[in-house]
């Protein structure tokens, strides 16, 4: 039986989400009231061809929803989302199916599987902000397809099979305009069986089309053709920065500059050193050349602070004392720097220190008396106020010079941490990121002074509405 949305009493809104059996026959709609939250449900697509498990719209949220189909079902769409937030969904469909059709919105976590089909298709309407996808796993003949608009993918594992591209940025229609995908800390893996399989393919087929893909700190592995540009008309562009992939085939990067370019920085053509590629464990094993091999820059303003497993994105994974991003979806745990080498033995003619007479240690100094007037008081925050608008700001007062740190969370994920220096006691202003997506954010505000004293965190709430 397909699951249905709960009925709500208010009659002023149309439904935001609903479920229907395969083929759309016998379709059951949600109640006439808008449901803002759908969670902890199981939905089964019916037998036969076609059908949709869940349609989400109106800015609603779906959390921990599972969508599946029987073995004989084909050509189904698991979830269709027009705006809203999808969190920790589990969608598993069969042949020629589409697990997620994303017209607009945000995806945080989850698994999307379409055996013999497309796992995720981004089909965004013009003029919308880029759809964000973070911390997810997707697998199918094509794991990710961007056909309209823009998409940003962070800390994701994308697996493909057969002869298709694992990631495809292409519009087969005669629609002009920009088509763009940004992939940061993504692991892109094929099955290695076909010589035709592509890792990332960017294609423009009509005049006026501008298709592009930007890969940062990303791995492309187990494919014969890692990067492919094709432009019968328009232009197709690929930009990479600290990306690991194998050698390119000559015909996959056309030489005609009027049809776009391939620009690469810090390419690594090495064995990634996965823990167990055949077994599906795509973490980096200790000693992998891709640990701490990413960009040394601080996290971007809209960059996820956690990896696919929820660990901190930047750590010192090789024990050299410097924390730098790893390549791919997973960040290796921090490793302590090695201990300093022992002193060499004495040379010929040099007296050795007798084992029975170790060097005398200096007498311990008497404990120092507490310095009169030492600063042990934490700084005090007052008059904190959030101001909205295109560039949200936090204002307040600090009773002594120091630093004010604002940590911004969206759900369980840290979106950004902003720190400002306050040179003298009095008023201060913290400018928050202007590109926060619509939604509810939790802010933790804390102050610290030069002596290391820290105030307690003050919690605030920020609501960003769609413009």
């Amino acid at each position: 039986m397909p699951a249905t949305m709960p009925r709500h009493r208010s009659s002023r809104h149309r439904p935001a989400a609903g479920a229907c059996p395969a083929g759309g026959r016998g379709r059951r709609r949600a109640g006439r009231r808008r449901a803002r939250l759908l969670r902890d449900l199981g939905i089964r697509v019916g037998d036969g061809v076609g059908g949709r498990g869940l349609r989400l719209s109106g800015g609603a949220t779906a959390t921990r929803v599972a969508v599946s189909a029987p073995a004989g079902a084909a050509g189904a769409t698991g979830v269709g989302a027009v705006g809203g937030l999808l969190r920790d969904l589990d969608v598993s469909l069969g042949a020629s199916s589409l697990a997620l059709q994303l017209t607009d919105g945000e995806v945080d976590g989850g698994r999307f599987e379409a055996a013999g089909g497309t796992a995720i298709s981004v089909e965004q309407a013009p003029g919308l902000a880029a759809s964000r996808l973070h911390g997810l796993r997707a697998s199918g003949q094509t794991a990710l397809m961007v056909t309209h608009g823009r998409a940003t993918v962070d800390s994701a594992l994308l697996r493909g099979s057969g002869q298709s591209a694992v990631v495809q940025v292409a519009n087969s229609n005669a629609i002009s305009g920009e088509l763009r995908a940004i992939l940061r800390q993504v692991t892109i893996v094929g099955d290695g069986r076909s010589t035709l399989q592509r890792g990332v393919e960017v294609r423009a087929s009509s005049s006026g089309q501008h298709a592009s893909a930007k890969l940062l700190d990303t791995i492309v592995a187990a494919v014969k053709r890692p990067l492919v540009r094709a432009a019968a008309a328009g232009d197709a562009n690929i930009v990479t920065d600290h990306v690991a992939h194998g050698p390119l085939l000559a015909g996959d990067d056309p030489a005609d500059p009027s049809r776009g370019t391939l620009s690469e920085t810090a390419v690594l053509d090495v064995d990634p050193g996965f823990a167990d590629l055949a077994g599906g464990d795509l973490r980096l094993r200790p000693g992998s050349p891709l640990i701490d091999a990413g960009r040394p820059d601080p996290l971007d303003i809209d960059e996820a602070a956690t990896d696919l497993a929820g660990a901190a994105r930047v750590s010192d994974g090789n024990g050299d004392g410097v924390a730098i991003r790893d390549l791919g979806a997973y960040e290796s745990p921090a490793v302590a720097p090695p201990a300093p080498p022992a002193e060499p033995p004495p040379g010929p003619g040099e007296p050795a220190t007798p084992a029975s007479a170790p060097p005398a240690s200096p007498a311990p100094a008497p404990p120092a008396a507490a310095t009169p007037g030492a600063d042990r008081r934490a700084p005090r925050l007052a008059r904190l106020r959030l101001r909205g608008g295109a560039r949200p700001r936090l204002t307040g007062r600090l009773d002594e010079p120091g630093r004010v740190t604002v940590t911004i969370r969206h759900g369980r994920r840290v979106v950004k941490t902003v720190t400002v220096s306050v040179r003298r006691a009095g008023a201060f202003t913290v400018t928050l990121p202007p590109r926060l997506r619509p939604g509810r954010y939790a802010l933790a505000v804390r102050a610290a002074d030069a002596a290391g004293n820290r105030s307690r965190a003050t919690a605030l709430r920020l609501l960003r509405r769609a413009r």
Side-chain angles (χ1 to χ4, degrees):
M1 289 289 292
T4 59
M5 294 287 295
R7 293 184 180 271
H8 289 248
R9 293 187 177 182
S10 170
S11 61
R12 294 185 301 170
H13 302 292
R14 304 179 70 178
C20 65
R25 301 188 61 182
R27 182 170 185 167
R28 299 181 65 183
R29 292 184 176 272
R32 292 185 179 180
R33 316 297 182 244
R34 173 171 295 181
R36 305 298 298 180
L37 176 62
L38 181 70
R39 66 183 179 187
D40 300 317
L41 286 180
I43 299 174
R44 186 174 175 86
V45 178
D47 296 326
V49 178
R52 186 194 305 269
L54 171 68
R55 184 178 185 274
L56 194 76
S57 63
T61 297
T63 301
R64 297 186 300 276
V65 174
V67 181
S68 61
T77 299
V79 177
V82 185
L85 172 63
L86 306 177
R87 178 173 289 154
D88 297 330
L89 268 61
D90 189 349
V91 183
S92 180
L93 302 179
S96 304
S97 296
L98 173 60
L100 171 62
Q101 184 179 34
L102 186 65
T103 303
D104 183 31
E106 182 175 355
V107 181
D108 187 6
R111 181 178 71 97
F112 302 88
E113 180 179 341
T118 299
I120 299 175
S121 177
V122 178
E123 305 172 12
Q124 192 182 58
L128 297 176
S131 294
R132 280 184 56 95
L133 301 94
H134 166 71
L136 57 86
R137 297 169 174 83
S139 61
Q141 277 195 346
T142 296
L144 173 67
M145 179 181 294
V146 181
T147 62
H148 297 83
R150 298 173 293 164
T152 300
V153 184
D154 284 284
S155 299
L157 173 57
L158 307 178
R159 304 199 67 170
S161 60
Q163 300 181 2
S164 301
V166 183
V167 175
Q168 187 175 60
V169 182
N171 189 342
S172 58
N173 302 320
I175 300 177
S176 61
E178 182 186 32
L179 184 65
R180 184 177 69 187
I182 298 176
L183 296 94
R184 292 181 296 208
Q185 292 95 39
V186 177
T187 299
I188 300 168
V189 179
D191 59 9
R193 298 177 181 176
S194 172
T195 58
L196 300 179
Q197 188 178 38
R198 288 91 68 202
V200 177
E201 180 182 48
V202 179
R203 184 179 296 274
S205 57
S206 298
S207 178
Q209 286 185 358
H210 308 285
S212 65
K214 186 174 184 179
L215 283 65
L216 307 171
D217 308 311
T218 288
I219 303 171
V220 184
V223 291
K224 303 298 183 182
R225 305 168 65 187
L227 303 178
V228 177
R229 292 192 312 109
D235 57 83
N237 302 276
I238 298 178
V239 176
T240 75
D241 192 350
H242 289 76
V243 172
H245 64 74
L248 304 183
L249 298 185
D252 289 344
D253 181 25
D256 185 355
S258 66
R259 294 287 180 258
T261 58
L262 169 65
S263 174
E264 297 201 272
T265 301
V267 179
L268 289 87
D269 183 4
V270 295
D271 181 356
F274 293 127
D276 185 3
L277 175 60
D281 187 350
L282 298 178
R283 294 172 296 175
L284 300 177
R285 64 172 179 262
S288 164
L290 304 187
I291 294 176
D292 281 16
R295 292 172 296 146
D297 313 321
L299 292 176
D300 296 334
I301 191 171
D302 60 343
E303 187 174 356
T306 55
D307 70 352
L308 180 57
R313 167 45 65 185
V314 181
S315 68
D316 180 13
N318 59 6
D320 65 353
V322 181
I324 300 178
R325 301 172 181 84
D326 294 353
L327 268 59
Y330 295 99
E331 186 78 11
S332 299
V335 175
E343 294 186 3
E350 296 182 4
T353 303
S356 59
S361 300
T371 304
D375 183 4
R376 298 181 180 178
R377 185 181 65 83
R380 295 178 182 175
L381 291 164
R383 301 183 187 179
L384 294 178
R385 183 178 179 183
L386 273 174
R387 304 175 185 270
R391 296 184 64 85
R393 295 177 298 162
L394 170 69
T395 60
R397 298 185 67 85
L398 188 63
D399 69 343
E400 62 175 304
R403 301 185 312 277
V404 175
T405 300
V406 182
T407 302
I408 306 172
R409 292 181 178 272
H410 188 218
R412 295 171 294 176
R413 178 166 58 91
V414 175
V415 176
K416 186 66 178 177
T417 299
V418 183
T419 300
V420 298
S421 296
V422 181
R423 297 187 177 182
R424 59 178 64 89
F428 67 84
T429 299
V430 181
T431 302
L432 303 180
R435 292 183 288 179
L436 293 175
R437 294 179 61 84
R440 297 180 183 274
Y441 296 85
L443 277 63
V445 186
R446 189 187 296 269
D449 61 16
N453 303 306
R454 302 176 67 190
S455 69
R456 293 184 177 181
T458 300
L460 300 173
R461 301 288 178 181
L462 174 64
L463 175 62
R464 294 289 286 169
R465 301 184 183 275
R467 302 181 65 85

Short mmCIF file of all heavy atoms in Angstrom, two decimals, residues 186-237:
data_model
loop_
_atom_site.label_atom_id
_atom_site.label_comp_id
_atom_site.label_asym_id
_atom_site.label_seq_id
_atom_site.Cartn_x
_atom_site.Cartn_y
_atom_site.Cartn_z
N VAL A 186 34.35 15.10 -3.61
CA VAL A 186 33.46 14.05 -4.12
C VAL A 186 34.31 12.89 -4.61
O VAL A 186 35.37 13.09 -5.22
CB VAL A 186 32.57 14.59 -5.26
CG1 VAL A 186 31.71 13.48 -5.84
CG2 VAL A 186 31.69 15.73 -4.74
N THR A 187 33.86 11.67 -4.33
CA THR A 187 34.50 10.47 -4.86
C THR A 187 33.62 9.92 -5.98
O THR A 187 32.47 9.55 -5.73
CB THR A 187 34.69 9.41 -3.77
OG1 THR A 187 35.55 9.95 -2.75
CG2 THR A 187 35.35 8.16 -4.34
N ILE A 188 34.15 9.90 -7.20
CA ILE A 188 33.43 9.46 -8.39
C ILE A 188 34.08 8.17 -8.87
O ILE A 188 35.27 8.16 -9.23
CB ILE A 188 33.48 10.54 -9.49
CG1 ILE A 188 32.85 11.84 -8.98
CG2 ILE A 188 32.80 10.06 -10.76
CD1 ILE A 188 33.10 13.03 -9.88
N VAL A 189 33.31 7.08 -8.89
CA VAL A 189 33.89 5.77 -9.17
C VAL A 189 33.01 5.02 -10.16
O VAL A 189 31.78 4.97 -10.00
CB VAL A 189 34.04 4.94 -7.87
CG1 VAL A 189 34.62 3.57 -8.18
CG2 VAL A 189 34.93 5.66 -6.88
N GLY A 190 33.63 4.44 -11.19
CA GLY A 190 32.92 3.57 -12.12
C GLY A 190 33.11 2.11 -11.74
O GLY A 190 33.72 1.79 -10.72
N ASP A 191 32.59 1.23 -12.60
CA ASP A 191 32.79 -0.20 -12.33
C ASP A 191 33.97 -0.78 -13.11
O ASP A 191 34.33 -1.95 -12.94
CB ASP A 191 31.52 -0.99 -12.63
CG ASP A 191 31.04 -0.84 -14.07
OD1 ASP A 191 31.79 -0.27 -14.90
OD2 ASP A 191 29.93 -1.29 -14.38
N GLY A 192 34.59 0.03 -13.99
CA GLY A 192 35.79 -0.40 -14.70
C GLY A 192 35.58 -1.46 -15.75
O GLY A 192 36.56 -2.04 -16.24
N ARG A 193 34.33 -1.72 -16.14
CA ARG A 193 34.08 -2.82 -17.07
C ARG A 193 34.05 -2.40 -18.53
O ARG A 193 34.37 -3.18 -19.41
CB ARG A 193 32.75 -3.49 -16.70
CG ARG A 193 32.74 -4.11 -15.32
CD ARG A 193 31.38 -4.69 -14.98
NE ARG A 193 31.35 -5.27 -13.64
CZ ARG A 193 30.27 -5.77 -13.08
NH1 ARG A 193 29.12 -5.80 -13.75
NH2 ARG A 193 30.32 -6.26 -11.85
N SER A 194 33.62 -1.18 -18.80
CA SER A 194 33.46 -0.74 -20.18
C SER A 194 34.48 0.34 -20.53
O SER A 194 34.73 1.25 -19.73
CB SER A 194 32.04 -0.20 -20.40
OG SER A 194 31.92 0.40 -21.68
N THR A 195 35.01 0.26 -21.74
CA THR A 195 35.93 1.29 -22.20
C THR A 195 35.20 2.58 -22.55
O THR A 195 35.83 3.61 -22.77
CB THR A 195 36.71 0.80 -23.44
OG1 THR A 195 35.77 0.45 -24.46
CG2 THR A 195 37.57 -0.39 -23.09
N LEU A 196 33.87 2.55 -22.61
CA LEU A 196 33.08 3.74 -22.95
C LEU A 196 32.64 4.52 -21.73
O LEU A 196 32.14 5.64 -21.86
CB LEU A 196 31.84 3.32 -23.75
CG LEU A 196 32.10 2.60 -25.08
CD1 LEU A 196 30.77 2.24 -25.75
CD2 LEU A 196 32.94 3.46 -26.01
N GLN A 197 32.80 3.96 -20.54
CA GLN A 197 32.31 4.64 -19.35
C GLN A 197 33.13 5.90 -19.07
O GLN A 197 34.35 5.90 -19.14
CB GLN A 197 32.37 3.71 -18.13
CG GLN A 197 31.69 4.29 -16.90
CD GLN A 197 31.73 3.33 -15.73
OE1 GLN A 197 32.70 2.62 -15.51
NE2 GLN A 197 30.64 3.30 -14.95
N ARG A 198 32.42 6.99 -18.77
CA ARG A 198 33.05 8.28 -18.48
C ARG A 198 32.89 8.62 -17.01
O ARG A 198 31.89 8.26 -16.38
CB ARG A 198 32.42 9.41 -19.31
CG ARG A 198 32.78 9.36 -20.79
CD ARG A 198 31.79 8.55 -21.59
NE ARG A 198 30.48 9.16 -21.68
CZ ARG A 198 29.36 8.48 -21.94
NH1 ARG A 198 29.40 7.16 -22.12
NH2 ARG A 198 28.19 9.09 -22.01
N GLY A 199 33.86 9.33 -16.47
CA GLY A 199 33.75 9.79 -15.10
C GLY A 199 32.87 11.01 -15.00
O GLY A 199 31.80 10.99 -14.38
N VAL A 200 33.30 12.12 -15.63
CA VAL A 200 32.53 13.37 -15.69
C VAL A 200 32.44 13.78 -17.14
O VAL A 200 33.46 13.95 -17.81
CB VAL A 200 33.20 14.49 -14.85
CG1 VAL A 200 32.41 15.79 -14.99
CG2 VAL A 200 33.30 14.08 -13.39
N GLU A 201 31.21 13.97 -17.61
CA GLU A 201 30.99 14.39 -19.00
C GLU A 201 30.22 15.70 -19.00
O GLU A 201 29.19 15.83 -18.34
CB GLU A 201 30.20 13.33 -19.77
CG GLU A 201 29.93 13.73 -21.21
CD GLU A 201 29.11 12.68 -21.95
OE1 GLU A 201 28.07 12.24 -21.39
OE2 GLU A 201 29.49 12.32 -23.07
N VAL A 202 30.76 16.69 -19.73
CA VAL A 202 30.10 17.98 -19.88
C VAL A 202 29.78 18.15 -21.35
O VAL A 202 30.68 18.08 -22.20
CB VAL A 202 30.99 19.13 -19.38
CG1 VAL A 202 30.30 20.47 -19.58
CG2 VAL A 202 31.32 18.92 -17.90
N ARG A 203 28.51 18.41 -21.64
CA ARG A 203 28.08 18.41 -23.04
C ARG A 203 27.16 19.60 -23.31
O ARG A 203 26.24 19.88 -22.54
CB ARG A 203 27.35 17.10 -23.35
CG ARG A 203 26.92 16.92 -24.81
CD ARG A 203 26.23 15.58 -24.99
NE ARG A 203 27.12 14.47 -24.73
CZ ARG A 203 27.94 13.95 -25.63
NH1 ARG A 203 27.96 14.45 -26.86
NH2 ARG A 203 28.72 12.94 -25.32
N ALA A 204 27.41 20.30 -24.42
CA ALA A 204 26.53 21.36 -24.92
C ALA A 204 26.14 21.00 -26.34
O ALA A 204 27.00 20.72 -27.17
CB ALA A 204 27.24 22.71 -24.88
N SER A 205 24.84 21.00 -26.61
CA SER A 205 24.37 20.52 -27.90
C SER A 205 23.65 21.58 -28.72
O SER A 205 23.28 21.31 -29.86
CB SER A 205 23.44 19.32 -27.70
OG SER A 205 22.35 19.67 -26.86
N SER A 206 23.42 22.76 -28.15
CA SER A 206 22.69 23.80 -28.88
C SER A 206 23.39 25.14 -28.75
O SER A 206 24.09 25.39 -27.77
CB SER A 206 21.26 23.93 -28.35
OG SER A 206 20.54 22.74 -28.53
N SER A 207 23.21 25.99 -29.73
CA SER A 207 23.80 27.32 -29.71
C SER A 207 23.26 28.10 -28.50
O SER A 207 22.07 28.07 -28.21
CB SER A 207 23.46 28.06 -31.00
OG SER A 207 23.98 29.37 -30.97
N GLY A 208 24.16 28.78 -27.81
CA GLY A 208 23.76 29.55 -26.64
C GLY A 208 23.84 28.78 -25.34
O GLY A 208 23.64 29.37 -24.27
N GLN A 209 24.15 27.50 -25.40
CA GLN A 209 24.31 26.73 -24.17
C GLN A 209 25.72 26.88 -23.62
O GLN A 209 26.69 26.87 -24.37
CB GLN A 209 24.02 25.24 -24.42
CG GLN A 209 22.56 24.91 -24.59
CD GLN A 209 22.33 23.41 -24.69
OE1 GLN A 209 23.27 22.62 -24.66
NE2 GLN A 209 21.07 23.02 -24.82
N HIS A 210 25.81 27.01 -22.29
CA HIS A 210 27.10 27.13 -21.62
C HIS A 210 27.11 26.11 -20.49
O HIS A 210 26.56 26.35 -19.42
CB HIS A 210 27.31 28.54 -21.08
CG HIS A 210 27.09 29.62 -22.09
ND1 HIS A 210 28.00 29.91 -23.08
CD2 HIS A 210 26.04 30.47 -22.28
CE1 HIS A 210 27.54 30.90 -23.83
NE2 HIS A 210 26.34 31.24 -23.37
N ALA A 211 27.72 24.98 -20.74
CA ALA A 211 27.75 23.90 -19.75
C ALA A 211 29.13 23.85 -19.12
O ALA A 211 30.15 23.95 -19.81
CB ALA A 211 27.42 22.56 -20.41
N SER A 212 29.18 23.69 -17.79
CA SER A 212 30.48 23.67 -17.12
C SER A 212 30.41 22.80 -15.87
O SER A 212 29.35 22.65 -15.25
CB SER A 212 30.93 25.09 -16.74
OG SER A 212 30.05 25.64 -15.77
N ALA A 213 31.57 22.26 -15.52
CA ALA A 213 31.73 21.51 -14.28
C ALA A 213 33.03 21.94 -13.63
O ALA A 213 34.06 22.08 -14.30
CB ALA A 213 31.75 20.00 -14.54
N LYS A 214 32.98 22.18 -12.32
CA LYS A 214 34.15 22.57 -11.55
C LYS A 214 34.37 21.52 -10.47
O LYS A 214 33.49 21.28 -9.65
CB LYS A 214 33.96 23.94 -10.93
CG LYS A 214 35.20 24.49 -10.24
CD LYS A 214 34.96 25.92 -9.78
CE LYS A 214 36.23 26.52 -9.17
NZ LYS A 214 36.00 27.93 -8.74
N LEU A 215 35.54 20.89 -10.49
CA LEU A 215 35.86 19.82 -9.56
C LEU A 215 36.96 20.29 -8.61
O LEU A 215 38.03 20.74 -9.07
CB LEU A 215 36.32 18.57 -10.29
CG LEU A 215 35.26 17.68 -10.97
CD1 LEU A 215 34.56 18.40 -12.11
CD2 LEU A 215 35.90 16.39 -11.48
N LEU A 216 36.72 20.19 -7.31
CA LEU A 216 37.68 20.60 -6.30
C LEU A 216 37.91 19.46 -5.33
O LEU A 216 36.95 18.86 -4.83
CB LEU A 216 37.16 21.83 -5.54
CG LEU A 216 36.72 23.03 -6.37
CD1 LEU A 216 36.02 24.07 -5.49
CD2 LEU A 216 37.89 23.66 -7.09
N ASP A 217 39.17 19.13 -5.05
CA ASP A 217 39.51 18.11 -4.06
C ASP A 217 38.71 16.83 -4.29
O ASP A 217 38.12 16.26 -3.36
CB ASP A 217 39.26 18.63 -2.64
CG ASP A 217 39.93 19.97 -2.39
OD1 ASP A 217 41.12 20.08 -2.70
OD2 ASP A 217 39.26 20.89 -1.90
N THR A 218 38.69 16.37 -5.51
CA THR A 218 37.81 15.27 -5.92
C THR A 218 38.63 14.13 -6.51
O THR A 218 39.72 14.33 -7.05
CB THR A 218 36.77 15.80 -6.93
OG1 THR A 218 35.83 16.62 -6.22
CG2 THR A 218 36.02 14.70 -7.63
N ILE A 219 38.08 12.91 -6.42
CA ILE A 219 38.70 11.71 -6.99
C ILE A 219 37.82 11.17 -8.09
O ILE A 219 36.59 11.04 -7.91
CB ILE A 219 38.88 10.62 -5.91
CG1 ILE A 219 39.71 11.13 -4.74
CG2 ILE A 219 39.52 9.37 -6.52
CD1 ILE A 219 39.74 10.18 -3.56
N VAL A 220 38.41 10.87 -9.25
CA VAL A 220 37.71 10.19 -10.34
C VAL A 220 38.50 8.90 -10.61
O VAL A 220 39.65 8.96 -11.04
CB VAL A 220 37.64 11.06 -11.61
CG1 VAL A 220 36.84 10.36 -12.70
CG2 VAL A 220 37.02 12.42 -11.29
N ALA A 221 37.88 7.75 -10.37
CA ALA A 221 38.63 6.49 -10.42
C ALA A 221 37.80 5.39 -11.05
O ALA A 221 36.56 5.48 -11.15
CB ALA A 221 39.05 6.08 -9.00
N ALA A 222 38.50 4.35 -11.50
CA ALA A 222 37.90 3.13 -12.07
C ALA A 222 37.04 3.42 -13.29
O ALA A 222 36.01 2.78 -13.51
CB ALA A 222 37.07 2.39 -11.00
N VAL A 223 37.46 4.38 -14.11
CA VAL A 223 36.81 4.65 -15.40
C VAL A 223 37.90 4.80 -16.45
O VAL A 223 39.00 5.26 -16.16
CB VAL A 223 35.93 5.93 -15.36
CG1 VAL A 223 34.71 5.73 -14.48
CG2 VAL A 223 36.74 7.13 -14.88
N LYS A 224 37.58 4.42 -17.68
CA LYS A 224 38.57 4.52 -18.77
C LYS A 224 38.69 5.93 -19.30
O LYS A 224 39.73 6.31 -19.84
CB LYS A 224 38.18 3.57 -19.90
CG LYS A 224 38.02 2.10 -19.48
CD LYS A 224 39.32 1.53 -18.95
CE LYS A 224 39.15 0.05 -18.62
NZ LYS A 224 40.38 -0.53 -18.07
N ARG A 225 37.62 6.72 -19.16
CA ARG A 225 37.61 8.09 -19.69
C ARG A 225 37.22 9.04 -18.55
O ARG A 225 36.04 9.32 -18.34
CB ARG A 225 36.64 8.18 -20.87
CG ARG A 225 36.93 7.18 -21.98
CD ARG A 225 35.79 7.10 -22.97
NE ARG A 225 35.60 8.34 -23.69
CZ ARG A 225 34.58 8.58 -24.53
NH1 ARG A 225 33.68 7.62 -24.75
NH2 ARG A 225 34.47 9.72 -25.15
N PRO A 226 38.17 9.55 -17.79
CA PRO A 226 37.84 10.30 -16.58
C PRO A 226 37.11 11.62 -16.83
O PRO A 226 36.15 11.94 -16.13
CB PRO A 226 39.19 10.53 -15.91
CG PRO A 226 40.20 10.29 -16.96
CD PRO A 226 39.63 9.32 -17.92
N LEU A 227 37.55 12.41 -17.82
CA LEU A 227 36.94 13.71 -18.10
C LEU A 227 36.66 13.80 -19.59
O LEU A 227 37.54 13.54 -20.41
CB LEU A 227 37.85 14.87 -17.69
CG LEU A 227 38.31 14.91 -16.22
CD1 LEU A 227 39.26 16.10 -16.02
CD2 LEU A 227 37.14 14.98 -15.27
N VAL A 228 35.42 14.21 -19.95
CA VAL A 228 35.02 14.29 -21.35
C VAL A 228 34.30 15.61 -21.58
O VAL A 228 33.36 15.95 -20.85
CB VAL A 228 34.09 13.12 -21.75
CG1 VAL A 228 33.63 13.28 -23.20
CG2 VAL A 228 34.82 11.79 -21.56
N ARG A 229 34.74 16.35 -22.61
CA ARG A 229 34.02 17.55 -23.05
C ARG A 229 33.50 17.30 -24.45
O ARG A 229 34.22 16.78 -25.30
CB ARG A 229 34.94 18.77 -23.08
CG ARG A 229 35.40 19.25 -21.72
CD ARG A 229 36.06 20.62 -21.80
NE ARG A 229 37.05 20.70 -22.87
CZ ARG A 229 36.89 21.39 -24.00
NH1 ARG A 229 35.78 22.07 -24.24
NH2 ARG A 229 37.86 21.42 -24.92
N ALA A 230 32.27 17.71 -24.70
CA ALA A 230 31.68 17.55 -26.04
C ALA A 230 30.77 18.73 -26.29
O ALA A 230 29.86 19.01 -25.50
CB ALA A 230 30.92 16.24 -26.13
N ALA A 231 30.98 19.44 -27.40
CA ALA A 231 30.16 20.61 -27.72
C ALA A 231 29.93 20.64 -29.22
O ALA A 231 30.77 21.12 -29.98
CB ALA A 231 30.84 21.89 -27.25
N ALA A 232 28.77 20.14 -29.65
CA ALA A 232 28.39 20.27 -31.06
C ALA A 232 28.04 21.71 -31.37
O ALA A 232 28.20 22.20 -32.49
CB ALA A 232 27.21 19.35 -31.35
N ALA A 233 27.54 22.43 -30.35
CA ALA A 233 27.26 23.87 -30.43
C ALA A 233 27.37 24.40 -29.01
O ALA A 233 27.42 23.63 -28.05
CB ALA A 233 25.88 24.12 -31.01
N GLY A 234 27.42 25.72 -28.85
CA GLY A 234 27.64 26.24 -27.51
C GLY A 234 29.05 25.94 -27.04
O GLY A 234 29.96 25.75 -27.84
N ASP A 235 29.25 25.90 -25.72
CA ASP A 235 30.57 25.58 -25.20
C ASP A 235 30.46 24.73 -23.95
O ASP A 235 29.51 24.84 -23.17
CB ASP A 235 31.38 26.85 -24.91
CG ASP A 235 30.67 27.78 -23.94
OD1 ASP A 235 30.78 27.55 -22.73
OD2 ASP A 235 30.00 28.72 -24.39
N ALA A 236 31.45 23.84 -23.79
CA ALA A 236 31.53 22.94 -22.65
C ALA A 236 32.87 23.16 -21.97
O ALA A 236 33.91 23.10 -22.62
CB ALA A 236 31.38 21.49 -23.10
N ASN A 237 32.85 23.39 -20.65
CA ASN A 237 34.06 23.74 -19.92
C ASN A 237 34.21 22.86 -18.69
O ASN A 237 33.22 22.55 -18.00
CB ASN A 237 34.02 25.21 -19.48
CG ASN A 237 33.84 26.16 -20.64
OD1 ASN A 237 34.81 26.53 -21.30
ND2 ASN A 237 32.61 26.56 -20.91
#
